[in-house]
Amino acid sequence: LREPGLNLRVVQLFRDPRAVHNSRLKARQALLRESVQVLRSRQRTEPRGPARHQQQHLLLPPGLLGGGRPPQPQHRAEFFLGGALEVICQSWLRDLLLARRAPDWLRRRYTQLRYEDLVREPRAELRRLLRFAGLTVPPALEDFVLNMTRGAAYSSDRPFLISARDAREAVHAWRERLSRQQVRQVEAACGEAMSILAY
């Protein structure tokens, strides 16, 4: 970041963790391997000793916490997805706290973007990001970002399909698909980061 020849800028994208959990549940099988890798990354960075067991996995389906038994096959994906989201939220929190305490030279090279803001105001957020990067906004790029976020419909059946869709529906889809218990669990696991990000 300090290398003058690079002029590196960092844009960190965030999304409401409830929406992230909803999306990850829809694509649970496709994300199984990735979730296991995320959980392994926590094991590599966690301190050794009794303190590492004080925090429970809050995003696991009911009945998975008792007795140290491995999850049943039908709950295996949810087990790993829930644990991975906790790791992701803790990583976000570390980044957010670091950004708050960052020196001026770092703050000038770092900005945050909330997915929800991009979806609600795509042109304004695109202009803000390109201004931050020192780039101009070609009209074709403005048209592209508007088209990609204002498509005719929202399809949740194919989460990795990149197409024009009404992304505004994706912002609140979790409200209809997650149970109250799932919402409370995500909020408990990710509350600090959500508060800083105004979720």
Side-chain angles (χ1 to χ4, degrees):
L1 282 169
R2 294 184 189 205
E3 174 56 51
L6 290 179
N7 193 21
L8 181 66
R9 306 294 170 113
V10 177
V11 177
Q12 188 167 10
L13 175 67
F14 293 97
R15 188 174 181 198
D16 187 324
R18 296 163 294 199
V20 171
H21 193 54
N22 180 53
S23 293
R24 291 176 66 81
L25 286 173
K26 284 186 298 190
R28 62 173 56 100
Q29 292 306 322
L31 292 174
L32 187 56
R33 181 176 290 171
E34 180 266 352
S35 295
V36 171
Q37 290 172 341
V38 169
L39 285 170
R40 284 183 181 152
S41 74
R42 172 166 58 187
Q43 290 172 348
R44 287 193 298 270
T45 59
E46 271 186 347
R48 302 238 181 245
R52 74 186 281 199
H53 298 294
Q54 288 177 354
Q55 181 183 10
Q56 289 186 326
H57 296 282
L58 298 174
L59 296 172
L60 303 180
L64 291 183
L65 295 174
R69 295 184 302 268
Q72 297 296 317
Q74 69 269 26
H75 295 301
R76 186 169 174 248
E78 288 89 345
F79 178 85
F80 291 119
L81 285 173
L85 184 61
E86 287 184 67
V87 175
I88 291 167
C89 284
Q90 289 305 309
S91 177
W92 285 1
L93 182 58
R94 283 191 304 274
D95 292 344
L96 290 163
L97 294 175
L98 175 66
R100 276 187 167 180
R101 297 185 303 257
D104 286 341
W105 67 265
L106 178 56
R107 287 184 188 188
R108 286 190 300 270
R109 295 181 175 276
Y110 170 85
T111 193
Q112 299 165 353
L113 172 64
R114 293 184 340 154
Y115 171 80
E116 294 77 9
D117 297 333
L118 179 63
V119 165
R120 287 187 187 108
E121 298 290 336
R123 285 185 170 144
E125 286 299 312
L126 176 66
R127 287 186 199 118
R128 181 180 73 83
L129 288 175
L130 292 179
R131 211 173 26 251
F132 165 75
L135 301 171
T136 58
V137 184
L141 187 56
E142 277 193 1
D143 293 342
F144 174 79
V145 75
L146 193 63
N147 176 56
M148 292 302 285
T149 57
R150 297 291 193 272
Y154 169 64
S155 170
S156 61
D157 298 332
R158 299 174 68 189
F160 296 112
L161 176 68
I162 298 174
S163 63
R165 62 179 70 184
D166 189 350
R168 292 168 296 185
E169 286 189 38
V171 169
H172 298 294
W174 62 267
R175 293 175 189 261
E176 298 171 8
R177 294 184 177 93
L178 293 182
S179 69
R180 286 183 180 173
Q181 180 186 5
Q182 288 171 317
V183 170
R184 283 194 299 268
Q185 289 173 332
V186 171
E187 291 172 350
C190 303
E192 279 188 85
M194 291 175 71
S195 178
I196 293 172
L197 290 165
Y199 287 125

